[in-house]
Amino acid sequence: MASGYRSHGSVLSVFSLSLALAALVPAARAQLSPTFYASSCPVALLTIRAAVRTAVALDARTGASLLRLHFHDCFCNARHVTCWSRRTDTLVACVYVRVRAATRLFCWTTRPTSPGRRARARTPGRCGFGVIDAIKLLLEALCPRTVSCADILAVAARDSVVALGGPSWTVQLGRRDSTTASLSTANTDLPSPASSLSTLLAAFARKGLSSTDMVALSGAHTVGQAQCQNFRARIYNDTNIDAAFAATRRAGCPATGGGALAPLDASTPNAFDNGYYTDLVAQRGLLHSDQELFNGGSTDGLVRGYAASPAQFQSDFAAAMVKMGGIGVLTGTGGQVRRNCRRVN
């Protein structure tokens, strides 16, 4: 679930910033409430759930797309122009340009260098945008200018996980949509598929997320697919990879040129389970950054624990999603509630 990352400062600076962010997250979350729309739009949650269930029933990959969109919307703090992902497949490479901040929809097929460099999505509906647009259209008819795009994404992500067989959690509501954007910051917020464990831990720490949060949230890779270009180096160059698994992936991803998509979870790609972790223990992580979670480092124990206990994974994942959903939110009179999630009012 990631894009380009660059190191920021010393360990001390990272630690200081992490403490500051950790202090801010609870304060922002305290202004949210699971019953925020109980009076103003009591049909909001039912409307979102019905739309997500229908979309996932038609194409299970939509669930992975919607989950990824919420992650990018939260992780690129300050709601930036785009959180384009090199980790995910073409269904979600067109990321919903920071619905809490972006001015319009950008569908990237290559790493963006400027807001003007756009590529047309081949199947934009499958990116999850079509589902979000449909939900927003319904809610604007039922409760005009009441339910934010940011809240729609947060609820849709939860409902997608449930529809794919994963855990549920209480979504805190009351987020507002931002009106500003920053492409340069978006390009540095997310770690790349080639990231080391230390890079991953630092990236999550800057958001006030712990190593447990990081490993649990990485379990979202139990659904979805990745492009050949994002795992080519791993299957041809890495040594900590199961030989038979590497050979299978090489068959669809040549050393040069294009290649086919491959599931991030080789065993159960459309089920939200702990298969991602059992793959890591067996050295069948598709991305280099995935296998870094189980490569003799500090997170090996967490991976083993989740591989052995689906219940523990689901519990920690749900808790981490609630925590991530409170990062940098706008509430009260901040921002706006968009009429159209693709642009500011």
Side-chain angles (χ1 to χ4, degrees):
M1 305 178 229
S3 176
Y5 169 82
R6 297 171 188 167
S7 178
H8 287 272
S10 66
V11 173
L12 180 60
S13 297
V14 170
F15 179 72
S16 299
L17 184 55
S18 299
L19 290 177
L21 283 167
L24 288 173
V25 169
R29 191 182 299 124
Q31 300 178 54
L32 304 178
S33 166
T35 60
F36 188 82
Y37 299 111
S39 298
S40 60
C41 191
V43 299
L45 298 186
L46 290 175
T47 300
I48 298 170
R49 183 189 308 161
V52 169
R53 282 181 175 177
T54 300
V56 174
L58 292 172
D59 186 348
R61 295 173 297 176
T62 301
S65 300
L66 292 171
L67 176 57
R68 216 76 79 221
L69 295 182
H70 177 52
F71 176 86
H72 292 151
D73 188 47
C74 292
F75 211 81
C76 289
N77 197 23
R79 312 340 178 207
H80 301 134
V81 170
T82 181
C83 292
W84 174 81
S85 175
R86 291 184 295 170
R87 275 190 161 189
T88 48
D89 61 28
T90 53
L91 303 183
V92 287
C94 308
V95 175
Y96 203 49
V97 259
R98 208 63 183 160
V99 294
R100 303 187 214 181
T103 56
R104 65 177 111 173
L105 175 70
F106 289 86
C107 286
W108 305 103
T109 56
T110 56
R111 183 170 175 79
T113 55
S114 69
R117 183 179 176 185
R118 284 186 291 167
R120 185 174 298 173
R122 298 175 69 181
T123 53
R126 286 185 175 179
C127 295
F129 308 137
V131 178
I132 298 301
D133 285 340
I135 293 170
K136 184 60 175 174
L137 187 64
L138 284 170
L139 290 179
E140 282 300 301
L142 295 167
C143 317
R145 298 194 67 179
T146 301
V147 184
S148 69
C149 299
D151 274 349
I152 291 173
L153 269 189
V155 176
R158 188 270 311 275
D159 292 345
S160 293
V161 170
V162 173
L164 292 170
S168 184
W169 58 89
T170 301
V171 178
Q172 299 294 320
L173 302 167
R175 299 168 185 79
R176 306 264 294 178
D177 300 318
S178 180
T179 59
T180 59
S182 169
L183 176 63
S184 60
T185 307
N187 282 338
T188 64
D189 271 7
L190 292 166
S192 82
S195 295
S196 65
L197 178 60
S198 61
T199 296
L200 292 168
L201 290 170
F204 278 74
R206 284 195 302 277
K207 303 300 178 184
L209 299 170
S210 68
S211 59
T212 299
D213 296 327
M214 187 271 285
V215 177
L217 290 170
S218 295
H221 281 186
T222 191
V223 291
Q225 297 177 302
Q227 297 178 26
C228 167
Q229 63 181 336
N230 297 327
F231 59 84
R232 177 179 283 122
R234 168 148 172 77
I235 62 176
Y236 284 98
N237 302 328
D238 284 2
T239 57
N240 61 340
I241 187 169
D242 177 77
F245 172 75
T248 299
R249 290 292 166 257
R250 287 172 186 168
C253 181
T256 59
L261 299 173
L264 290 159
D265 176 344
S267 53
T268 54
N270 292 321
F272 198 94
D273 56 21
N274 67 333
Y276 169 77
Y277 300 102
T278 59
D279 281 347
L280 295 185
V281 172
Q283 295 192 318
R284 293 196 298 263
L286 184 63
L287 305 179
H288 176 88
S289 54
D290 285 333
Q291 196 60 56
E292 280 289 288
L293 303 185
F294 189 80
N295 192 36
S298 61
T299 56
D300 280 12
L302 286 168
V303 172
R304 284 198 188 93
Y306 294 153
S309 174
Q312 188 62 55
F313 160 55
Q314 293 200 359
S315 175
D316 287 357
F317 180 84
M321 286 295 289
V322 173
K323 188 174 180 180
M324 185 184 72
I327 295 174
V329 297
L330 294 173
T331 59
T333 59
Q336 62 181 218
V337 174
R338 295 189 183 187
R339 299 185 184 92
N340 183 331
C341 293
R342 296 177 182 241
R343 60 182 65 90
V344 296
N345 297 334

